[in-house]
Amino acid sequence: QWVVVDPELVRRLRRAAQSQTPSLTAIDALGAALTGSVEVDGEQVQVTAGGALEELRSKIADPEADTTIGTGAARKPPGPPKALAANLRDYQVRGLNWLHRMTSLGLGGCLADDMGLGKTVTLIALHLRRQEGKATAGPTLVVCPASLLGNWEREIQRFAPTAPVRRFHGPGRDLEGLGGGAKGGFVLTTYGTMRRDAERLARQPWGLLVADEAQHVKNPHSHTAQALRTIPSLGRVALTGTPVENNLSELWSLLDWTTPGLLGNLTSFRDRYAKAVEGDRDEQAAARLAALVRPFLLRRRKSDPGIAPELPPKTETEQPVSLTKEQVSLYEALVRELMAEIEEQQGIARRGLVMKLLTGLKQVCNHPAQFLKEPADAKLPGRSGKLELLDELLDTVLAEDGSALVFTQYVAMGRLIERHLTDRGVETLFLHGGTTVKRREEMVDAFQSGEKKVFLLSLKAAGTGLNLTRAGHVIHYDRWWNPAVEDQATDRAYRIGQTQPVQVHKLIAEGTVEDRVAEMLRQKRELADSVLGSGEAAFSELSDSELAELVTLRKTG
């Protein structure tokens, strides 16, 4: 077969080949093998990989292919590690095998599954799998938003009970005795702490470095993103449900951290791909970018064929959050003040004070502004662990084009959330006892049609009688201590007509009375209706010592 070749292009290629400096780095060569082309002096030239490079390309080209590391024909991939105390679904096993394959080859990866598909348990399984091999063993550092520290710790204790876990956060944080081997377990830290202590963290040998909710470092010029790049590890994994929120430069930032050099520098990436794809709608450039990115980013949605049938119709998750310093101060002061009064009272007066204490503590856990009855213009961000976690959850839900119901017992808290979300540019609906019947119907229509994505609801006003099947997520901002009431509220979304799995998030302030009651409910679910049927009133009959045990703030981490 005869092909017409531009003589000038041939001359340029010869010059590049004869140059003393190699024209392609190893990562450049891999990129050329994946896309099938390389750029020479602004010209796209088709290439074909061979030998070891082609073998590597074939191993990683399809993230969900059933291949294993090693030579020879593809073998049956291994199952979950023996130390994992969980049954993984098929798509989670495929995700685990992909992450293990990439990190074992010295390449990073971004697991970008939808919220609720189990990125956390998959990562925990990866840590355990890597501990089984000498070359990949070592402690895992997880960097996440502060609001997710508690959730990570509980999930590790639940799914990897043999793996040590510690928080590197707050005063007195240390890495003493961590070592570099399998005994290192997990270390959890926040993006803020990592930024401040990057030099200290960089001195510790890490087997795996994980950036959870990795969209937090999507700006490569931020101090946080730059600090993260200074911490060496044997493998890097980014976890996010939203790999691209605004533009392709965010994708570059994630993948240039997990696999440095893959997409070139940011300027060349913008010139070669971002402008062509976003501005010119260049289909060839889009196809080349997809071929280059596909092996390094695994994205599954709940709606994908083969995923939805594996999901349970309803998944309930308790999401622990830490109190802020202000909340801790208010909580402890309230316990000291009212417990002293309670010990001096009896009968109805004592019961009234117990109710006042429990209500006050729940309001402190929600937000200091609710407890202090602050004016409408009071500052809200940065003062409540729950509000920070709510932001995290809703950001992910909305980025996935999902919809959510947010329940609270308190109309005052609902108004605070409504104002806070409005200030962040999130449009909401708020239904409470004062909403007229006509307005109530208009709100339901607006939500069910997809016009509005976030529906705030007072638990009493909206616990029954509503059909809100548009929602794939239900968030209980505060807990109603009668499980039947919570279940009725959840059933606004999880009911006949619902065509998607429903994920229920229950926000719990760590170390507080909320945490203690949640534990009681887990242990005695079958007795919950009878024991806690009257909510807080059930606790008014406790002795002083029992009550003190219930409400005293405990240290976490």
Side-chain angles (χ1 to χ4, degrees), residues 10-23:
V10 172
R11 278 193 288 274
R12 290 206 300 270
L13 287 169
R14 277 204 186 113
R15 282 198 299 273
Q18 292 166 0
S19 169
Q20 291 184 349
T21 305
S23 55

Side-chain angles (χ1 to χ4, degrees), residues 261-489:
L262 173 70
L263 302 178
N265 62 45
L266 183 55
T267 302
S268 68
F269 175 78
R270 282 175 176 155
D271 291 340
R272 187 181 302 178
Y273 294 114
K275 289 179 183 177
V277 175
E278 294 174 343
D280 303 334
R281 305 292 178 187
D282 185 329
E283 292 184 4
Q284 288 186 332
R288 285 197 302 274
L289 178 59
L292 184 56
V293 165
R294 176 171 163 73
F296 300 90
L297 187 146
L298 183 56
R299 173 82 166 134
R300 277 90 60 94
R301 299 177 185 274
K302 293 192 184 95
S303 55
D304 289 350
I307 299 293
E310 289 195 46
L311 294 177
K314 181 172 71 170
T315 306
E316 297 193 0
T317 308
E318 290 183 356
Q319 310 242 203
V321 295
S322 300
L323 297 180
T324 62
K325 289 181 180 178
E326 181 185 9
Q327 286 176 298
V328 168
S329 176
L330 288 171
Y331 190 101
E332 291 182 331
L334 186 59
V335 169
R336 279 196 308 270
E337 177 187 334
L338 286 184
M339 280 304 296
E341 291 186 43
I342 287 168
E343 288 168 4
E344 296 176 358
Q345 298 292 336
Q346 291 182 338
I348 294 176
R350 183 183 183 279
R351 284 196 287 273
L353 284 172
V354 172
M355 295 294 287
K356 181 181 178 182
L357 172 62
L358 294 173
T359 301
L361 293 179
K362 290 173 83 170
Q363 292 177 350
V364 169
C365 292
N366 277 354
H367 198 289
Q370 182 193 0
F371 174 70
L372 298 171
K373 297 180 173 60
E374 292 180 348
D377 59 350
K379 179 194 170 201
L380 297 179
R383 299 173 63 192
S384 165
K386 279 191 181 183
L387 199 62
E388 287 182 29
L389 179 55
L390 180 68
D391 285 343
E392 293 285 343
L393 291 172
L394 290 181
D395 283 350
T396 304
V397 169
L398 295 175
E400 294 175 356
D401 198 29
S403 299
L405 307 180
V406 182
F407 283 100
T408 175
Q409 296 174 59
Y410 305 101
V411 173
M413 190 63 230
R415 295 197 191 284
L416 290 175
I417 295 172
E418 182 181 35
R419 175 162 69 84
H420 172 70
L421 294 179
T422 300
D423 290 345
R424 296 185 72 237
V426 178
E427 292 187 356
T428 61
L429 300 161
F430 182 30
L431 188 154
H432 52 83
T435 308
T436 64
V437 173
K438 182 182 178 185
R439 178 61 185 142
R440 181 184 176 108
E441 292 171 354
E442 290 171 352
M443 287 180 172
V444 171
D445 290 344
F447 183 77
Q448 286 292 83
S449 68
E451 181 185 335
K452 298 288 175 67
K453 304 286 190 181
V454 178
F455 204 160
L456 306 175
L457 306 109
S458 156
L459 198 62
K460 280 188 177 178
T464 57
L466 291 177
N467 187 339
L468 300 170
T469 50
R470 180 86 184 191
H473 294 266
V474 177
I475 301 170
H476 290 284
Y477 189 86
D478 42 54
R479 306 292 304 276
W480 187 278
W481 290 336
N482 180 342
V485 174
E486 278 191 351
D487 290 344
Q488 281 184 338

